[in-house]
Amino acid sequence: MSIVIIAPTRDGQIWKNELLELDNSLDIEIYPNVKNPENVNCAILWLHPYGCLKQFSNLKLICSMGAGVDHILNDPELPEIPVTRIVSDTISTSMSNYVIMAVLQHHRMMEKFEVDQNNKVWDQATFPEREVKIGILGLGVLGSDVATKLVHLGFEVHGLSKSRKNIEGVTSHIEDDPGGFFREINVLVCLLPMTEETRGYLSHSLFNRLEKPCYLISVGRGFQQKEVDILEALDNGKLNGAFIDVFEVEPLPESSPLWDHPKVKLTPHNASITNPKAAVPIIYDNYRRMVEGRDVIHEVSKSKGY
Ligand code: NDP
């Protein structure tokens, strides 16, 4: 029995070392250096080359290295075995802190006060807080954590998900009947998973439903947004600014007008990077469960796509 790590964009050795610290009897190989593919029964993946899994004929478990699983579920040759993801307080805390940072700098009008500082302007007459009503697309593990924390900070928070949620202080709307979600909000946070339904979600058809100009915070996945539409919405006033972490093409090409758009702040898809120290114990727990024939945890639904 052995484990393979297939993560061309990450340092697999760090993940291997963390696993060996938990259990030094593990047999772990880093793709593509796999001597006996037929011995592999667990694959730990991040952006694996599609098709490569078929060489592991005894694979029983696939573990995503992060919270997202679209990179795995989109593999057209994915074997019919459980796929798990990382659910951890450290991922939720990083994501919530990122979204709160983006909300607060908008709420406290930091773009104005940065200009004032550059011009040595002391403006105490302007009331320094914008009223914000926040709408969160996706009230899953990450969306519900940030929603709860924003409520504790005193903000009005609405959430949109497939099923209705009961989160203290948060007004829950469902996708089939979004009701007041689009009417009330002036900050829109996207924390949806990447599925066929959410592909291109942040586009004109959504922005046209917003009744007030909105500040967009996009932290789900790049393919959920149409950047051409975001740029147009920034120009026509449907959006009054955007804080973006994920992009249709990553790394964001130098030619993208988003880089120097005056109403855009952006980061290089690092809102919440999985910390191997936090993720590896979850993967190891699931590995033990698989070996002992117990149910794995944090399994994703292939039919739902998340
Ligand atoms: P979850 O699977 O826990 O939650 C997804 C939520 O989205 C659920 O509430 C679900 O509704 C809702 N949802 C799904 N489809 C729709 C739809 N079509 N319309 C409305 N609501 C929908 O995911 P997480 O919260 O853990 O993570 C969300 C995403 O964040 C990840 O998939 C990943 O892509 C992204 N991410 C980004 C990171 C970054 O650094 N930028 C880091 C980590 C994650 P219901 O509950 O009813 O099923």
Side-chain angles (χ1 to χ4, degrees):
M1 288 211 237
S2 71
I3 296 173
V4 65
I5 297 171
I6 312 178
T9 61
R10 295 191 177 187
D11 185 350
Q13 192 62 45
I14 294 175
W15 292 71
K16 179 174 174 173
N17 293 347
E18 289 292 339
L19 277 161
L20 289 174
E21 258 189 45
L22 291 179
D23 182 346
N24 64 12
S25 72
L26 293 174
D27 180 5
I28 306 166
E29 297 188 279
I30 300 175
Y31 184 87
N33 302 316
V34 185
K35 286 188 211 88
N36 298 304
E38 65 284 357
N39 286 353
V40 171
N41 57 0
C42 173
I44 302 173
L45 306 183
W46 193 260
L47 301 177
H48 68 286
Y50 288 167
C52 78
L53 296 177
K54 57 177 182 275
Q55 66 190 280
F56 306 112
S57 50
N58 289 311
L59 203 56
K60 301 275 184 302
L61 176 65
I62 292 173
C63 305
S64 171
M65 281 180 164
V69 287
D70 45 298
H71 59 105
I72 296 174
L73 301 188
N74 286 339
D75 183 342
E77 297 180 78
L78 190 67
E80 280 298 318
I81 57 174
V83 175
T84 63
R85 70 188 190 112
I86 304 298
V87 172
S88 101
D89 286 349
T90 60
I91 295 185
S92 301
T93 301
S94 295
M95 182 56 83
S96 292
N97 287 350
Y98 181 98
V99 173
I100 289 166
M101 175 268 300
V103 168
L104 288 182
Q105 60 81 37
H106 176 65
H107 167 61
R108 293 294 311 207
M109 301 165 59
M110 280 313 293
E111 78 287 357
K112 170 198 157 38
F113 290 104
E114 275 161 21
V115 173
D116 283 0
Q117 181 178 354
N118 285 338
N119 294 322
K120 300 188 177 161
V121 170
W122 182 268
D123 172 9
Q124 233 182 11
T126 302
F127 187 70
E129 293 176 16
R130 269 190 196 106
E131 189 190 15
V132 295
K133 295 187 179 182
I134 302 154
I136 302 177
L137 296 167
L139 279 181
V141 171
L142 301 182
S144 59
D145 188 70
V146 70
T148 303
K149 288 171 178 169
L150 286 166
V151 167
H152 287 157
L153 290 174
F155 293 111
E156 180 174 322
V157 181
H158 298 254
L160 186 73
S161 46
K162 290 211 142 211
S163 54
R164 203 170 289 284
K165 307 292 175 194
N166 190 4
I167 305 171
E168 202 177 341
V170 178
T171 309
S172 165
H173 307 263
I174 50 170
E175 181 229 8
D176 289 342
D177 177 22
F181 183 87
F182 293 105
R183 194 166 51 242
E184 298 297 332
I185 64 166
N186 61 7
V187 172
L188 178 69
V189 180
C190 182
L191 260 170
L192 290 168
M194 183 64 222
T195 65
E196 273 319 303
E197 275 180 30
T198 64
R199 185 177 295 280
Y201 200 86
L202 300 176
S203 62
H204 282 318
S205 58
L206 177 78
F207 303 144
N208 288 336
R209 295 167 82 181
L210 299 168
E211 295 201 8
K212 300 174 191 160
C214 269
Y215 190 79
L216 173 67
I217 301 171
S218 180
V219 278
R221 281 287 181 268
F223 287 127
Q224 290 164 352
Q225 65 200 21
K226 289 194 179 153
E227 283 154 22
V228 173
D229 291 8
I230 290 177
L231 287 159
E232 262 180 53
L234 287 166
D235 289 343
N236 69 25
K238 286 271 173 202
L239 296 178
N240 53 23
F243 210 118
I244 308 179
D245 184 54
V246 290
F247 302 90
E248 284 175 79
V249 178
E250 295 181 4
L252 183 64
E254 262 184 53
S255 58
S256 169
L258 290 169
W259 279 111
D260 40 23
H261 195 291
K263 293 182 183 166
V264 173
K265 291 192 193 302
L266 61 85
T267 49
H269 197 154
N270 65 1
S272 180
I273 299 279
T274 313
N275 177 348
K277 279 224 173 307
V280 163
I282 297 164
I283 292 175
Y284 180 63
D285 179 27
N286 267 332
Y287 175 74
R288 295 296 328 159
R289 286 166 177 268
M290 179 271 291
V291 169
E292 291 160 15
R294 294 183 286 135
D295 288 343
V296 292
I297 54 170
H298 309 315
E299 184 174 354
V300 300
S301 157
K302 288 188 193 136
S303 57
K304 287 203 293 187
Y306 61 95

